[in-house]
Amino acid sequence: MLLGVIADDFTGATDIASFLVENGLPTVQLNGVPHSDTQIDTQAVVISLKSRSCPAAQAVEQALQALIWLQRQGCRQFYFKYCSTFDSTAQGNIGPVTDALLDALGEQQTVISPALPVNGRTVYQGYLFVMEQLLSESGMRHHPVTPMTDSNLLRLMEAQATGRCGLVNAAEMDRGAAAVKEKLQQLAQQGVRYAVLDTLNEQHLLTQGEALKTMKLVTGGSGLAIGLARQWAQPGQAKAQSAGAPQGKKAVVLSGSCSTMTNKQVNRYRQQAAAQAIDVARCINETARSAYAAELCHWVEHHATAELAPLLYATAEPQQLQQTQQLYGTQTASLAVEALFSEVTQRLQQQGFSRFIVAGGETSGVVTQALKLHGFHIGPCISPGVPWVRAIEQPVSLALKSGNFGDENFFARAQTEFPV
């Protein structure tokens, strides 16, 4: 095993797994840390955790457990994967997890590379952009759990970590891998623990892959995986392990993300297919929630024979989301909706549903846990960073979409471009 990836949420795990496979590296995605040391016959493993917004100590513990398992598999390189919008708070979890992994590996330096230019995430002079906007001016400033109000990655990292942060700028990146290596050595000599990498295009990612092939620990979004996979890959291997097209006839779309793009996707899909908004008030009480879940599943079953799958959504615009949080409390509302999605998923599986299209990292985690899935083979991409995946243990296919990924017609394309 060449590369071991520790991803802080489920959609992020499928995101990076898809880029590894597309760029030639056979990859298996695992749902959580395996409980045994059973060997997995692949060159890369992505372990998906649910640690993006949990307490920092819990995130660190999960990441270290994943690291220990990957070390036992003989991994040569380790990759801490977080969102391309650097989702975190002033307390973490990106900084604390990075520090813990560095210490556990006995390393003194790593890189910070959240960029994914194909999806409009770029870094210039250490500032993170979403399309043409600074991160702090994008829809991420309204994120319900990790609102991003600063765009400077050096400041963001130093606020939640224990060391100093430096920069490898775009001009140095343009000079190639040797120049990047030289700058990293200079920063290390200056005691810089984390190096932010400017990234404006795919060539910068390829340069990073070449420069970082021997670095024990790297951190970033899924873009850096393109460069690293090209370094490790052997022609033809990854495609041979592809999961292929989605399986099963009964499908459902579940959307929990409140991101700007998911709001657009939900609004578009409501014009194309049957759609039902989640009533948060009916999710709060556990007894009432169970009856509500049964009612929603009956509605889904009724519309399951249509050309496009029915949609259940808790997606809301920022003002409506704020009102809900003020009325019920942010955590209470979030956990209640997650519990509803979990019960709905379990019921739909019992009713024979085997294709789940899911929007949102937290929602994707809930769905995969409810289905009791432990691993996935990576299938064809619907949009950059969003593949169909097939469960290893049972005939279930999923499209797990990070909130801001995909175009406005994503939900329909996931079905029409990849028919059963």
Side-chain angles (χ1 to χ4, degrees):
M1 194 176 293
L2 301 173
L3 182 66
V5 181
I6 302 168
D8 68 357
D9 83 342
F10 293 89
T11 55
T14 25
D15 173 15
I16 192 169
S18 71
F19 280 109
L20 291 171
V21 170
E22 277 193 348
N23 288 277
L25 199 61
T27 303
V28 169
Q29 179 182 337
L30 300 178
N31 187 2
V33 182
H35 296 298
S36 69
D37 286 333
T38 303
Q39 290 290 323
I40 295 176
D41 185 20
T42 187
Q43 291 185 331
V45 164
V46 179
I47 296 178
S48 55
L49 305 177
K50 195 171 184 291
S51 60
R52 178 166 297 170
S53 55
C54 69
Q58 184 179 340
V60 166
E61 181 182 2
Q62 290 182 28
L64 291 177
Q65 289 174 354
L67 175 65
I68 290 169
W69 186 88
L70 291 168
Q71 286 177 309
R72 288 174 179 164
Q73 311 311 304
C75 281
R76 301 186 197 178
Q77 188 173 38
F78 304 91
Y79 193 134
F80 172 39
K81 197 276 176 191
Y82 40 77
C83 188
S84 60
T85 47
F86 208 74
D87 294 24
S88 54
T89 68
Q91 294 74 39
N93 292 338
I94 295 174
V97 170
T98 300
D99 283 335
L101 293 173
L102 280 170
D103 292 343
L105 291 166
E107 295 293 310
Q108 300 301 314
Q109 187 185 61
T110 189
V111 294
I112 307 296
S113 181
L116 183 58
V118 71
N119 275 350
R121 276 62 164 171
T122 54
V123 179
Y124 182 66
Q125 295 299 315
Y127 285 82
L128 181 55
F129 288 79
V130 177
M131 303 300 182
E132 294 81 19
Q133 294 180 308
L134 285 164
L135 173 67
S136 56
E137 297 174 5
S138 73
M140 283 301 298
R141 70 188 186 277
H142 298 305
H143 194 284
V145 180
T146 53
M148 302 305 295
T149 57
D150 191 358
S151 309
N152 187 295
L153 292 169
L154 285 78
R155 282 198 300 262
L156 287 168
M157 191 63 184
E158 288 187 346
Q160 56 182 277
T162 60
R164 291 172 53 210
C165 205
L167 175 68
V168 181
N169 65 35
E172 291 159 334
M173 199 66 63
D174 286 336
R175 291 201 289 272
V180 173
K181 283 184 176 181
E182 182 179 352
K183 182 57 181 286
L184 289 172
Q185 290 174 353
Q186 292 174 0
L187 292 173
Q189 291 169 359
Q190 296 166 14
V192 171
R193 189 168 169 87
Y194 329 100
V196 172
L197 306 181
D198 269 4
T199 313
L200 300 177
N201 49 55
E202 185 170 300
Q203 182 55 53
H204 285 170
L205 296 175
L206 300 181
T207 297
Q208 291 171 27
E210 184 180 351
L212 302 174
K213 185 176 179 180
T214 59
M215 181 173 274
K216 197 72 171 177
L217 173 70
V218 298
T219 87
S222 57
L224 176 56
I226 297 172
L228 287 176
R230 301 268 184 100
Q231 292 296 309
W232 289 115
Q234 297 178 16
Q237 286 190 332
K239 288 186 178 180
Q241 292 194 3
S242 174
Q247 299 179 324
K249 293 184 178 180
K250 298 177 76 171
V252 65
V253 182
L254 304 173
S255 180
S257 169
C258 291
S259 70
T260 301
M261 179 51 74
T262 303
N263 268 286
K264 292 179 181 179
Q265 290 162 342
V266 166
N267 289 335
R268 174 69 176 273
Y269 196 68
R270 288 171 57 196
Q271 302 169 20
Q272 302 168 296
Q276 182 84 268
I278 299 299
D279 184 347
V280 178
R282 299 185 66 184
C283 302
I284 301 297
N285 179 273
E286 185 174 346
T287 303
R289 183 169 63 233
S290 186
Y292 184 38
E295 178 184 318
L296 290 173
C297 289
H298 179 75
W299 178 87
V300 170
E301 183 74 62
H302 178 71
H303 292 280
T305 56
E307 181 180 353
L308 292 176
L311 163 69
L312 296 177
Y313 65 97
T315 302
E317 298 287 351
Q319 185 176 1
Q320 181 184 349
L321 176 64
Q322 187 177 20
Q323 291 173 348
T324 299
Q325 292 173 337
Q326 289 175 346
L327 188 60
Y328 302 107
T330 300
Q331 187 174 24
T332 298
S334 177
L335 292 176
V337 171
E338 286 186 12
L340 177 78
F341 274 126
S342 178
E343 185 163 352
V344 165
T345 298
Q346 290 171 346
R347 287 175 178 269
L348 290 177
Q349 184 184 32
Q350 292 168 4
Q351 293 169 212
F353 283 76
S354 59
R355 284 187 295 146
F356 295 83
I357 301 169
V358 189
E362 295 298 317
T363 310
S364 294
V366 167
V367 169
T368 53
Q369 288 175 337
L371 294 171
K372 296 181 170 58
L373 304 179
H374 299 101
F376 309 97
H377 293 295
I378 310 303
C381 270
I382 307 162
S383 292
V386 193
W388 274 104
V389 300
R390 189 184 72 229
I392 292 172
E393 312 96 319
Q394 50 185 293
V396 173
S397 292
L398 304 98
L400 306 174
K401 188 194 81 71
S402 180
N404 278 308
F405 278 18
D407 59 14
E408 289 188 26
N409 200 38
F410 175 86
F411 294 141
R413 284 199 309 103
Q415 300 167 69
T416 58
E417 290 187 11
F418 303 94
V420 177

